[in-house]
Amino acid sequence: MQCNTKIFYQRRHEMPGVIKQMPDVINIEPTIKLKTLNGHLVSNNNNYKTIAKTVYNGIEVVPNIVWQGWEPGAEYTKNLLLKNVNVKSQKLKYSPPTTRFFTSLYPKMIVLSAGMSYTLPITFRPLEKNIYEDNIHFESSEGSFDIPIKAVLPEAEVDLPGELNLDMCAVQDFTKITFEMKNTSELHVGYMWEANDPFSIQPLEGTVEPFKSCTFTATFRPQSAKVFVADTVCKYGPSLSKSKYTRLEGIGKYPHLLCVTGATDFTSSQKSASQKESVLDFGQVPIGKGVEKFVEIRNLSPVNAPYRIEHPSGTSRVDTAFSCRQLEGVVPAMNSVRVPIYYNPTILNTTSIDYFHVIAIGDISKTTVKTVGASKGPKIELNVNHVNFLQVDAGQTYKKAIEVRNNGDIEAIFQFHIDNEESVFKFDITCGSIKPMSYKKIIVTFQPTHPINYYRRLPCLVQNQDTLFLDLLGTCHTETGKPAVLQYKHVERYRTHVDRKLSVFPPEQLNEMLKEGKLKLDEGGALMDPGAEVIEPYCEPISAIPPMDEFFNDGYYSDISCTVPHVSMDSHIVDFGRCNSLQDIESQTLNITNHTSGKVTIQWMGGVNHVFSVVPATMDLPPNKTSSFRVQFKPTSPNQFFGSELECYCYYKSMRDYRLVEDTTHCPPWCLTLTTTGHTFMPNNETFLPRFNLDFNRLVFPAVNTGETAYRTLCLSNSGTVPILYDFQPDHTGIFSIKPSKGLLTKAQQMFVVKMLPSAVKQYRQKLKLMLNDDVKHTQEILVWGSAEEAFVLLENDGVMYFKPTCVGTNTKKAYSVTNTSRIPLRFEWRFTHKDAQLLSVSPQQGIILPNESQEHVWTFAPKTQDKFVMKPALIAWGQGQSSSASGGKKRQFLVRAIGEGSQGQLRAEQSYFDFGNVIVGSTATKHIVLCNDTDCEVKYELMIDQNISGPYEEGITRMDSIALELEETFGVLAARSKKIIAGTVRPVRRVYYQFTISYQLLSPNDTPISEESQHVCHVLATGVFPVMAVTDARSYGSAIGLSKKQLWSLFSLDNFNMCLDSDPSSAELMYSVATRHSHRRRPPVYTRAILDFNFSAAPVGSEPCVVDLMVENTGAVFLEWSFLFPRDLQLELEYWAETGEYDEDELHEMKVMDNKLFDIQPRKGKLQPGETKTVQFTYKHTMPGTDRLPVLLKLSRGREILLNFIGVTVESDRRYIHFPSNKHMFTPVPAGQQNNPKQIYELYNGGSVPVNYAIDLVPLELLKQENFDQAVFECLNPQGTILPGRTTATEWLFSPLEAKTYMVDVPIHIDRGDSALITLTGVGYDQRVMGDTMPISDQQADLTGVPAVQSVPVPGQLLFLSQERIVFGNVPMYSQARHLVFAINRSHDHVVSFEWHVTASADSRIETQSAPASLGPSSHGGTPADTPIPAVDPVTPRSRTEVDTSYKEEKANQDREEIKRNPTFGVVTENLLENTLLNIISEATRPRLVALLPKPSTPQSGNK
């Protein structure tokens, strides 16, 4: 075996200190190749064999040597390559093979320098087919190694792809892929495949020659839609003992075909009402003209989809107008194909409906395409319906023009049925074709010869159209004869007389009857029977006769005559046949009968010099008599065809002279025509060879009822130069007839009318024989096909209709298909019994079903009770007839069995209670309500919501609120035993508590409730909330350290602030739900009316900043997001060029405050969960003297907006300044007329750096006293005093109202070397007899209720906390004692806190603390009682307050001694900041509400510090 070996050497990578040996790779066979088989990727891993070299002691060599493909007796040599890969030389010794089958060179020392190689040849000489093994032994100074050598026998081996992917394939379709199997051995290898469905491999078995390939075809034919993976086994080798596997993969997919009849989409215009079929509408198509339209078949699946198209009626119906030539094909994956459908109508004025079924492979899906088309014929019209030549003298010629117009869109052939040679009316064009939307002008000539009236109703035959009629009138005068001039009104009046059976009477008799009163004139001037007025049909207009019936039913070609004949001939055709002699005159007898009651005159046109003539030419015929005439044939040339139409006029003899004629009874003449034919060909002479064309060789008549007629037109064209004698053989069955049946075609065309009059319900198929030129061999056969039909319909499901269980009071609609399997349009009507009519209704109840049409009638089942019902409606169907007014054919009845059940519907919710919890006003919350229908019937329902609101609003305000609960669906239909998820969304509009009750009402199909009572479904609860927060504590530091919590609470208006935060926001405040920049103004607008002052008090310039910590708490139930917005935070950033105008003083001031950062808030924004607290620090810097203001907007997300006016005062260092937060003060209301009124306090705060002396001007108080009967209303007890820097002085006031009214006084407060202030004091006096106890100074006093008694904001470095910072004793009776227990808590875990009490306001104090200096360990607490003994005032024996106080203390000393021993102590931390803070707290806490206790720190209390 020869092998092209490619050797690739891979270099060894050497690094310092590391020797890494990597084996080289020898590629003995070609590299891997990837083959593409039919678009599939196949891996070919055969013939890939690598041998890696091995390094033994620095010698690189192959690990073994193998001989393959050898034969006994031959010699094979291979070279063993040895390479020294060390850096030094090596010496090798080797031992040759031990067996005699392998030989090598004589052993000798091999010296290999670094990088050198040595080739050692090894020869193999086999003697027989066997396996030979041996080895060669090598030795070096570093060790020894063996190289095995081996000779193997050839083995059968093939190379196959490991796997084949056949991709996706449509179910029951197949896909194929070809692949190769290569025989890599030198043996002939037999194989056999084993494959399981849906895979198969061909050929299944065979033999592959050595080193040859064999091509196989794998087929994938899935039977279901899933993933298929199978291992196919290829057995090969001797006795097929070896095997290999090839994995086959494929995916079965169901094809999805969609038929689209439009250009781009398939909307409602292309779908029928049932939505099950696509509609391809061809519109109106001219008869005989084919139209092609396309149906697009879209494949929406990822596999090729074979399809077939079935046309069920294509072979079963004779009048099928639709056809499809492409009946099968394949739609590529995710692609489409267009299938043409042809419509070629052959029957005039019919609507054709047909169905094509597009079926995917395996009948997996079927799509129906409904084709609709209507046929139409040409629209040939005459511009006039009559031509009246009036009076013309004999021998003269008068001409008039008419127009034949084609208003249709197809070319049409017309023919006037007249012989110009024999008639007095001559047409320059009697036949021809007219292009669409064009006309032809025809000249009509009147050339009379006899002095009579002329009237002929001339038919104009049109191809594929009803016959047209043209009335020709004229009057001829001579010197001897002057009849009355015939007018068209006489013709119209004559038709009325014919309808009234008066035309059979001669005019003179009618005149006598009119004179005698036996007749009278109607409104139109026609005669009538006086007693006929009571007969309603008698007075109705004359019904029009169908044009085809009028033309065909003449009493000769048809046994039926549309009118009673006045004069008739016994034959309309006279055929002389062959005339052997030109000298002989042949004649035949013609009889004419007078059917009237008057004498008539017969006048034949033409003359004796014509080929055909009648003698006598004129004859009077008595009433009801018959006379004979001789028709003569005088040919003028041999071997010629002759034919003509003789014209005869019959009229009452009294019409010959105008003096005998009355205008009322003027009767037009009757025109009779006689067709004559003959020829002069000798018996042995052949007639002319006809050259002709027929427009139809097969005539299919529309289906009719028994006894009705159907007509078709036939056109015979003469394409030669000689006339054609035509003769239609009569139909022996009498079903089909043709007019004219015999004649001579001398023009270009001859039009025929073929009539079918079936006598029984069956299908008729005949061949009409047309003999041309009187020669049998020129006979043509025309196949005529028609049928008389009776009503037959196909009912869906064999006439059984099932209704699903229906809720009582509602109804169920069901579409039920009815198919007209007959060829005639059917009228139908559904009829019910009285009982069934209460339960069933159908739409439409009556109508028309076209042939082959399948209509879906919508049935409605409306049960009234809970029961099962079996109903039997009947379908009455009958043939429509030729017109909508026709009575139609025989009626047939088809019964339908309808089965239904009435059931009670009911709904419920899976959960009867839904709680949305707290929902922010203006936001939404959604929950899903699962609605269940556990009954057997479908339920149509309406959900109703009842809303109940409870909250702080009056009912009149909330009554007009919209319902805050919105349901995703309030109307709907829930199927039986099913569930529906309805999303309920709560959108509260107020901060109230909502209670919703959801109920339902069952609805009828017209959406009216079945019952007035609603049924409960579930309850829904929700609470509308706003994000709210409150300030729970306040602390001041820095320059405001001297301010008490009460003062701070008042300066920052925190009571009003909390009240505003707890109130509802306005709609304007909710314009922006979150903080945003929304204005381009320098001073952004504010949409809130809540405006408060944050007064940072006053301090000298350069003082420490005023720092106020407010503890804010989310007191609401929802998440809160808040932010403080400076003016710049609300202003949109504009470009420099957009800044316009100058800044005013207020804007400049705000810019100064913000640029110098005088006010600051940390943090400016935050988020709080419900109940969570956060400390917000407000800072005001005293860096520049003056009063600073800055508007700051507090925005709660989806909540309130409050405008905070930050106010801070910085005082010059040497300025005497008292800070007045407001120029108004209101005292607590006091009852009028009391003797002892409580003291009230008005505080003054020194915001400067130097002491301030103040003096209150009492002059206004004196003036008020004089106005009130010299009784002091306002009295100041300490009008003068000194206030230390950063301290507060309480001025004491007595308010003693005399009347129940409001007192106001403006009091000046003078400051020594400072600015004075004018304060308005207000007091309210009330009548206690009227108000009662509604306005006492109670225990919970108004100005203290908002100030918290518990510290929440920690002071930096504070370790000791009090359980209460403020003790309010309220109103205490005289000589009694009130006691409060205050706990001191050490919150430090590793510090001991020492504390003691200091009473800072000891003057006239009634506060005692029972605690000595003490200490608290880490994380411990203790309590201290605070007693308040209140002395009584004796009205008889007044005593001083000191005496009362001493007596009271002595009486209580013994009682309190034990309790004082048990009391733990508490004190103050040693740090200065905490000491000052606690001193201020205790001072505030020990200050009674109505008595000011001035501080006297130098006077200690007994036992207290």
Side-chain angles (χ1 to χ4, degrees), residues 168-171 251-256 299 301-305 331-334:
M168 291 181 288
C169 179
V171 174
I251 302 176
K253 286 281 188 180
Y254 285 122
H256 184 191
N299 182 7
S301 56
V303 295
N304 294 340
V331 186
M334 305 304 293

Side-chain angles (χ1 to χ4, degrees), residues 179-199:
F179 64 96
E180 288 186 351
M181 179 179 71
K182 185 176 181 181
N183 181 4
T184 58
S185 67
E186 55 190 20
L187 301 177
H188 286 76
V189 178
Y191 62 87
M192 184 178 67
W193 286 95
E194 292 181 357
N196 297 325
D197 291 336
F199 299 101

Side-chain angles (χ1 to χ4, degrees), residues 620-818:
D620 291 338
L621 192 59
N624 299 315
K625 298 297 181 179
T626 301
S627 179
S628 299
F629 295 83
R630 298 296 296 175
V631 182
Q632 298 179 350
F633 175 39
K634 295 183 293 183
T636 56
S637 60
N639 299 324
Q640 188 68 37
F641 290 109
F642 298 93
S644 64
E645 183 187 60
L646 301 182
E647 193 175 55
C648 171
Y649 288 93
C650 308
Y651 57 91
Y652 285 112
K653 189 174 181 63
S654 59
M655 295 289 102
R656 67 185 182 276
D657 192 271
Y658 70 94
R659 290 183 292 268
L660 304 176
V661 177
E662 295 289 341
D663 186 72
T664 303
T665 57
H666 193 169
C667 181
W670 302 283
C671 180
L672 304 178
T673 59
L674 177 65
T675 302
T676 57
T677 59
H679 66 88
T680 56
F681 287 91
M682 293 297 104
N684 296 326
N685 293 347
E686 290 188 3
T687 59
F688 301 136
L689 179 66
R691 299 174 62 88
F692 67 94
N693 290 314
L694 285 171
D695 58 348
F696 291 108
N697 291 321
R698 177 176 177 264
L699 288 179
V700 178
F701 286 83
V704 293
N705 295 309
T706 304
E708 293 182 343
T709 56
Y711 296 94
R712 290 295 305 272
T713 61
L714 184 66
C715 181
L716 175 65
S717 300
N718 185 0
S719 57
T721 58
V722 295
I724 299 177
L725 182 66
Y726 58 86
D727 183 10
F728 280 93
Q729 304 299 318
D731 178 23
H732 64 279
T733 63
I735 303 299
F736 299 96
S737 56
I738 189 167
K739 179 181 180 180
S741 60
K742 184 178 294 186
L744 183 65
L745 176 56
T746 59
K747 302 174 289 293
Q749 294 97 7
Q750 175 64 49
M751 297 295 302
F752 302 93
V753 176
V754 185
K755 175 183 176 182
M756 181 189 71
L757 181 60
S759 58
V761 177
K762 60 180 293 187
Q763 201 171 77
Y764 299 93
R765 186 173 183 269
Q766 296 292 336
K767 291 182 180 180
L768 294 181
K769 294 184 179 181
L770 171 60
M771 186 173 65
L772 300 176
N773 289 345
D774 200 23
D775 195 339
V776 178
K777 66 180 181 180
H778 298 320
T779 301
Q780 300 293 322
E781 291 184 350
I782 301 173
L783 179 63
V784 288
W785 206 328
S787 64
E789 299 282 338
E790 65 176 350
F792 193 85
V793 296
L794 181 64
L795 299 176
E796 182 183 350
N797 197 25
D798 295 331
V800 180
M801 178 168 45
Y802 295 96
F803 290 95
K804 60 185 178 182
T806 305
C807 180
V808 174
T810 64
N811 59 41
T812 296
K813 294 184 181 297
K814 177 180 178 61
Y816 189 76
S817 65
V818 178

Side-chain angles (χ1 to χ4, degrees), residues 1237-1241 1277 1292-1295 1404 1441 1489-1492:
N1237 292 313
K1239 291 182 181 179
Q1240 302 194 43
I1241 296 173
L1277 302 181
E1292 299 179 359
W1293 294 78
L1294 290 177
F1295 173 51
D1404 202 17
R1441 298 191 180 193
R1489 172 65 184 87
L1490 300 178
V1491 179

Side-chain angles (χ1 to χ4, degrees), residues 864-912:
K864 302 296 188 297
T865 58
Q866 186 175 355
D867 199 356
K868 293 183 179 181
F869 304 92
V870 177
M871 300 147 285
K872 296 180 179 180
L875 175 66
I876 309 300
W878 67 96
Q880 178 184 1
Q882 292 297 308
S883 63
S884 59
S885 61
S887 60
K890 181 181 178 181
K891 294 185 178 180
R892 294 190 62 188
Q893 176 175 293
F894 302 89
L895 292 179
V896 175
R897 181 182 177 90
I899 300 173
E901 179 183 355
S903 178
Q904 291 291 344
Q906 188 176 3
L907 295 179
R908 67 174 181 86
E910 277 193 347
Q911 298 179 3
S912 60

